[in-house]
Amino acid sequence: MKMVSSRLPTCLLTLILLQLPKLDSAHFDVVGPEEPILAMVGEDVELPCHLSPNMSARNMELRWFRKKVSEAVLVHRDGQLQDKDQVAEYRGRATLVRDNLSQGRMAVRIHGIKAKDAGEYRCFFREKEDFEEAVVQLQVAALGSDPHVHMEVQENGEIRLKCTSEGWYPEPQVQWRTAGGQKFPSMTESRTPDEEGLFTVAASVTIRNASPVNVSCSIQNPLLGQEKEVEISIPAPLFPRLTSWMVVTIVVVTVLGLLSIASIFFTWRLYKERCRERKEKFSSKENLLEDLKWKKASLHAVDVTLDPDTAHPHLFLYEDSKSVRLEDSRQKALEKPERFDSWPCVLGRETFTSGKHYWEVEVGDRTDWAIGVCKENVMKKGFDPMTPENGFWAVELYGNGYWALTSVRTPLPLPGPPRRVGIFLDYESGDVSFYNMTDGSLIYSFPKTSFSGPLRPFFCLWTCGNRPLSICPVTDGPDGVTVLADTKDMSKEIPLSPLGDDPATGDADTPHSKLIPTQPGQAAS
């Protein structure tokens, strides 16, 4: 037993000596970040890793690469960078962060991140025959442009909305919502990458009769959890909802309309007989001018001007208060109870409480407008339908069709587009009628009603455009028609007074409107 005890320390010493070569060969691990690193397109990013345990890496070979060792992002060997080992796309873009090499810490900085830089990177350390590596995940994101929604009216009355945006990464998600937050899917959707790998998205949806008035398009980056959204307002008259009482109203209005048309037809026949002798003396053009003069004289022409205090902020009035156009930009306008804030409308200054009144509006070849008369106290905040029940008597051109804004819109089959429309109001008899002054024919007469309270001229524009809507001056014949120049001559817009306020106040902080000068010799297109 004593002999065994004396040999035990010798065996332990021999075992320790056999282990000494392994102790001289230091073993290390390479450690990278546990979570993926997120970088935005165009920014710089650092991808770090370090040795465990900490030891100097100055004399080691350091290499960053993608899927293959030969696809080197950066190589550091013999104390200096090896540019010739880098792949072309990272030359000049990838640099080494040297600050902590003596502590075994290394980072590669990539400048001007691109979408195709996303993915897996490997951090590689080698010392003689020993080497280890770690994996680092790089996520790349880009927040695209603000969405743009284009609205197109189909022949069947349906509305097609198309939402587009560009510059997204990774592939974005598109979501349509109603004003109440209800979501509904796109009918068609596409995501197309460009040369840089950034996605352009396009999504469309069709709005039918039961759809809401306000719709928004939201585009979201799933990696960032951020979204960009745009909302579009669709005019409520595009969504007639037929109910039983509306069907009855259509029938009644149709019958009354036919009776009115028949009455006007017979009156017109009588007038044609009386004018037959004059037609023999004049050419067809002179005869038309005589008809126009007769109508103006018989319909009690009045001078109408626009009231800027009622104009929607997107409406721009001309200096003479006779012309108006709709623009995408919103001018700063003082908030007033009489100003329209939803429908792009403006009223005339004049109020009518009795008598007969007639004025003409030059619409030219402009699209998407509504004109007529309305009660002075109509609802100007919100989207109340423009119907006689709500105090409006008007006709409109929307898309390719002409309509009378009755309880359910009445289509107006006209033989040709009128360039000038005459509006006649007989307060006592409750008559509101519209005439095509190109040929003197009747466009539409509303059923007789009993007016109460002041009435005012009414104008509305549904789409933007360089062609304004103009009120014709009170003169006989076409020589008095206001003619506005082409858009090249309308670029000199000058800010004048706030809508409806004194232009001499000089307060720079007061919201101002743009009143567009009407130059001599201009004409409405």
Side-chain angles (χ1 to χ4, degrees), residues 323-334:
S323 300
V324 58
R325 78 170 185 247
L326 179 68
E327 294 190 3
D328 287 328
S329 58
R330 181 184 179 93
Q331 57 187 321
K332 295 181 180 179
L334 296 176

Side-chain angles (χ1 to χ4, degrees), residues 278-479:
R278 283 185 294 173
K279 288 183 178 180
E280 295 175 355
K281 299 178 182 180
F282 298 97
S283 65
S284 59
K285 179 177 179 181
E286 292 171 337
N287 206 16
L288 176 60
L289 295 178
E290 285 298 313
D291 290 344
L292 296 176
K293 291 179 181 179
W294 175 83
K295 282 185 177 294
K296 288 185 178 182
S298 63
L299 295 175
H300 309 278
V302 294
D303 188 21
V304 172
T305 56
L306 301 173
D307 183 0
D309 288 344
T310 64
H312 186 278
H314 281 277
L315 290 180
F316 287 69
L317 307 187
Y318 287 71
E319 283 183 328
D320 58 1
S321 295
K322 290 285 190 178
S323 300
V324 58
R325 78 170 185 247
L326 179 68
E327 294 190 3
D328 287 328
S329 58
R330 181 184 179 93
Q331 57 187 321
K332 295 181 180 179
L334 296 176
E335 177 60 32
K336 295 186 177 183
E338 62 269 29
R339 187 182 307 285
F340 287 90
D341 70 349
S342 299
W343 295 123
C345 302
V346 61
L347 300 183
R349 293 181 185 270
E350 293 68 30
T351 59
F352 306 125
T353 56
S354 63
K356 300 177 180 179
H357 311 277
Y358 175 79
W359 62 97
E360 293 181 3
V361 179
E362 185 77 14
V363 298
D365 58 358
R366 201 199 189 288
T367 60
D368 303 330
W369 46 259
I371 55 177
V373 298
C374 69
K375 292 184 178 180
E376 186 175 41
N377 61 348
V378 294
M379 183 68 67
K380 301 179 180 67
K381 314 296 182 185
F383 292 96
D384 276 5
M386 296 177 187
T387 61
E389 290 78 10
N390 291 330
F392 293 88
W393 292 267
V395 296
E396 74 168 359
L397 166 61
Y398 194 91
N400 297 323
Y402 292 86
W403 310 83
L405 300 185
T406 49
S407 299
V408 174
R409 295 190 308 166
T410 302
L412 303 175
L414 302 182
R419 298 185 62 86
R420 188 192 298 188
V421 177
I423 304 169
F424 175 63
L425 167 66
D426 187 340
Y427 193 96
E428 281 76 15
S429 66
D431 180 22
V432 178
S433 297
F434 299 84
Y435 295 88
N436 179 357
M437 299 315 296
T438 301
D439 57 10
S441 62
L442 176 70
I443 295 176
Y444 185 76
S445 287
F446 277 85
K448 299 295 178 64
T449 186
S450 178
F451 296 126
S452 62
L455 301 179
R456 297 177 67 174
F458 162 75
F459 310 85
C460 196
L461 297 177
W462 296 128
T463 56
C464 302
N466 293 321
R467 297 179 179 85
L469 205 65
S470 301
I471 303 171
C472 302
V474 183
T475 57
D476 289 337
D479 294 337

Side-chain angles (χ1 to χ4, degrees), residues 332 334 497-498 501 505-513:
K332 295 181 180 179
L334 296 176
S497 62
D501 288 295
T505 59
D507 186 357
D509 296 330
T510 304
H512 281 61
S513 66

Side-chain angles (χ1 to χ4, degrees), residues 30 50 80 89 102 109 161 192 200 230 262 358 382 390 427 431 474 517:
V30 181
H50 64 275
Q80 60 184 357
E89 62 180 295
S102 60
R109 179 181 290 120
L161 303 179
T192 307
T200 296
V230 64
Y358 175 79
N390 291 330
Y427 193 96
D431 180 22
V474 183

